[in-house]
């Protein structure tokens, strides 16, 4: 099994098996995120790589990112041999399993989950680091507006500092994913103005920069859709998502493939099982 | 998040998030399998939940189990809004990522991998334990005919004994999945005669028995398809697959949801992170 930069190719571009070193780094990064999250009371959840289509329609994702969505089709039951849409799609972001699980909840304080899953996005350009199938660990904070904004703000800085501590040349950029769905495409501009989405961008390979994490504030979008309330109002949500393969590739690019030769301070943070 | 027998429902039947106790048991079972595998030199691989459609066509799975296969469709690039098949399907078994990774290999001794992944099968009946999305840890042995048969034989007994040590009322049954594809449907009968597939069946809930593992010998089917050779001949393959949620559910059914009250001998084997 020949690997290039830790990635072992399969017959599908952008879908990889990882070599041992990169895989261990991915697992160590997930552990690091999980530990940071646990210290603040985030409840870990492993989420499946498929999700009900109805959820992505309800949230507007299906309309906002139709080109990225993978719909699962299955054989028609009537035995015609025809493939028809099933009720599931491939999961585009780990947090989409969290909001529906809180449907109808009345919160008496913030809810905190860290969701670990494998995501799929039907990317058409497949330069290095733009994987179609990739693992994501995502912290989700659900609460009142003010505390939710404050949490995102704090974790934006915390995440940036973490990456600097890991020796990565990270920059923070305001982004404008239209995650509120179209018919609301004008929101893309205001989203940028309102700074709802920040991406943390770092080199993941030679001449190649990618977002390795993003920090998002969704206002009461998900709270309204799933009738999650706090103090009589629709809850607000923020999330911080880590692209595990990308963080691992950024670390490998910065410090080399042999983790034993990484700076001690970095190794102390990203503690793999064979260290 | 209300769980029934450890399973938290989502909008898609058969697709679940697990509660803390069941999730920890799943992780502990995977760890147990990984450790047993490592002791015999099996190389761990995390595999993605999607795979190239071409691989499943080449192996005959797409023809043999069309009703179980989930095909990923995406938006047509020409901007018609139409969904068309992509080059990937949802992974039906972890081992399918292993054979193509060995394409063209000339082995000088057995190759051993333990693949961990999340699988999808479009099951139409969704009684308890028949999940559509589930995790599988699968040992794959690739070698000459005799050693490959002997390994499967040994691991069939080893797996049965493991489940007995875990306090599960397991029975072994010869099964007849037509995993060589149709046009060869007659093979289903000879497969049973040749005892190519054994299932290890245990109670996973009240009045509910399911296969929690299976031990398979594929003869030189995959070796021929992927041109894997050993001593000048197509390699033979065997695999032993563990359905992690099902094993965890069987343990919970046998010993109760509170792992702290499980028999010491069982807890010693299934060591969760909070034990």
């Amino acid at each position: 099994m020949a690997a290039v930069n830790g990635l072992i190719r399969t017959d599908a571009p952008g879908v990889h098996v990882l070599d041992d070193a990169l895989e261990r780094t991915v697992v160590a990064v997930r552990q690091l995120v999980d530990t940071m999250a646990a210290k603040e009371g985030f409840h870990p959840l492993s989420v499946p790589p498929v999700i009900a289509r109805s959820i992505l329609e309800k949230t507007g994702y299906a309309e906002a990112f139709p080109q990225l969505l993978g719909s699962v089709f299955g054989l028609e039951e009537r035995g015609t041999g025809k493939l028809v849409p099933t009720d599931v799609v491939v999961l585009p972001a780990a947090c989409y399993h969290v909001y529906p699980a809180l449907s109808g909840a009345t919160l008496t304080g913030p809810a905190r989950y860290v969701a670990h899953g494998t995501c799929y996005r039907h990317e058409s350009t497949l330069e290095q680091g733009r994987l179609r199938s990739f693992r994501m660990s995502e912290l989700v904070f659900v609460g009142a507006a003010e505390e939710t904004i404050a949490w995102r703000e704090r974790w934006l800085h915390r995440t940036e500092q973490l990456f600097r501590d890991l020796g990565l040349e990270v920059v923070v950029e305001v982004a404008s994913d239209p995650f509120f769905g179209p018919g609301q495409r004008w929101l893309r501009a205001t989203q940028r103005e309102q700074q709802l989405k920040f991406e943390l961008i770092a080199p993941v390979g030679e001449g190649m920069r990618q977002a390795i994490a993003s920090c998002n504030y969704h206002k009461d979008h998900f709270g309204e859709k799933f009738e999650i309330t706090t103090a009589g109002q629709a809850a607000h949500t923020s999330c911080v998502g880590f692209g595990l393969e990308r963080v691992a590739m950024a670390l490998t690019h910065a410090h080399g493939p042999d983790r034993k030769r990484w700076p001690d301070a970095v190794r102390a943070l990203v503690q793999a099982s064979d260290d």
Side-chain angles (χ1 to χ4, degrees), chain A residues 155-157 159-161 163-164 169-175 195 197-202 209 213-215:
Chain A
W155 267 77
L156 174 57
H157 293 298
T159 305
E160 187 185 359
Q161 188 58 51
F163 289 144
R164 294 204 193 288
E169 289 173 22
V170 68
V171 294
V172 177
E173 291 184 10
V174 183
Q195 307 202 328
K197 184 180 189 71
F198 290 93
E199 289 184 335
L200 292 97
I201 295 168
R209 297 164 73 245
S214 74
C215 296

Side-chain angles (χ1 to χ4, degrees), chain A residues 59-75:
Chain A
T59 58
Y61 185 96
E63 268 190 291
F65 302 101
Q67 77 287 2
L68 295 182
L69 192 61
S71 293
V72 177
F73 277 50
L75 211 58

Side-chain angles (χ1 to χ4, degrees), chain A residues 138-177:
Chain A
E138 200 161 24
L139 285 79
V140 181
F141 185 101
V142 188
E146 203 166 306
E147 63 193 357
T148 304
I149 294 167
W151 178 81
R152 199 276 304 258
E153 190 63 17
R154 187 162 59 79
W155 267 77
L156 174 57
H157 293 298
R158 193 170 179 192
T159 305
E160 187 185 359
Q161 188 58 51
L162 170 70
F163 289 144
R164 294 204 193 288
D165 293 346
L166 289 172
L168 303 180
E169 289 173 22
V170 68
V171 294
V172 177
E173 291 184 10
V174 183
S176 60
D177 271 354

Side-chain angles (χ1 to χ4, degrees), chain A residues 23-196:
Chain A
E23 177 65 27
R24 283 179 195 272
T25 304
V26 163
V27 171
V29 172
R30 180 174 54 206
Q31 187 57 50
L32 170 60
V33 173
D34 209 42
T35 302
M36 288 173 70
K39 280 183 189 156
E40 294 197 10
F42 282 73
H43 183 84
L45 271 186
S46 286
V47 299
V50 293
I51 188 167
R53 174 189 312 275
S54 57
I55 298 300
L56 293 202
E57 284 172 353
K58 191 169 182 167
T59 58
Y61 185 96
E63 268 190 291
F65 302 101
Q67 77 287 2
L68 295 182
L69 192 61
S71 293
V72 177
F73 277 50
L75 211 58
E76 193 171 41
E77 274 184 35
R78 286 183 296 152
T80 58
K82 200 181 155 193
L83 293 177
V84 293
T86 69
D87 57 342
V88 295
V89 296
V90 204
L91 182 71
C95 65
Y96 282 103
H97 271 299
V98 177
Y99 313 118
L102 292 170
S103 272
T106 305
L107 305 178
T108 53
R112 299 178 182 88
Y113 291 92
V114 53
H116 304 285
T118 305
C119 300
Y120 179 86
R121 293 183 190 168
H122 200 63
E123 304 281 358
S124 52
T125 55
L126 286 165
E127 73 267 38
Q128 183 175 29
R130 192 165 283 279
L131 306 179
R132 279 198 284 169
S133 180
F134 58 95
R135 282 168 276 184
M136 186 189 289
S137 291
E138 200 161 24
L139 285 79
V140 181
F141 185 101
V142 188
E146 203 166 306
E147 63 193 357
T148 304
I149 294 167
W151 178 81
R152 199 276 304 258
E153 190 63 17
R154 187 162 59 79
W155 267 77
L156 174 57
H157 293 298
R158 193 170 179 192
T159 305
E160 187 185 359
Q161 188 58 51
L162 170 70
F163 289 144
R164 294 204 193 288
D165 293 346
L166 289 172
L168 303 180
E169 289 173 22
V170 68
V171 294
V172 177
E173 291 184 10
V174 183
S176 60
D177 271 354
F179 52 44
F180 293 121
Q184 309 181 9
R185 282 215 180 267
W186 54 272
L187 269 176
R188 192 193 276 246
T190 65
Q191 186 182 339
R192 186 180 279 273
E193 275 167 31
Q194 294 179 78
Q195 307 202 328
L196 299 183

Side-chain angles (χ1 to χ4, degrees), chain A residues 234-254:
Chain A
H236 287 232
T237 58
S238 285
C239 70
V240 178
F242 295 82
L244 300 186
E245 280 87 353
R246 285 189 180 175
V247 175
M249 288 165 72
L251 285 165
T252 305
H253 179 68

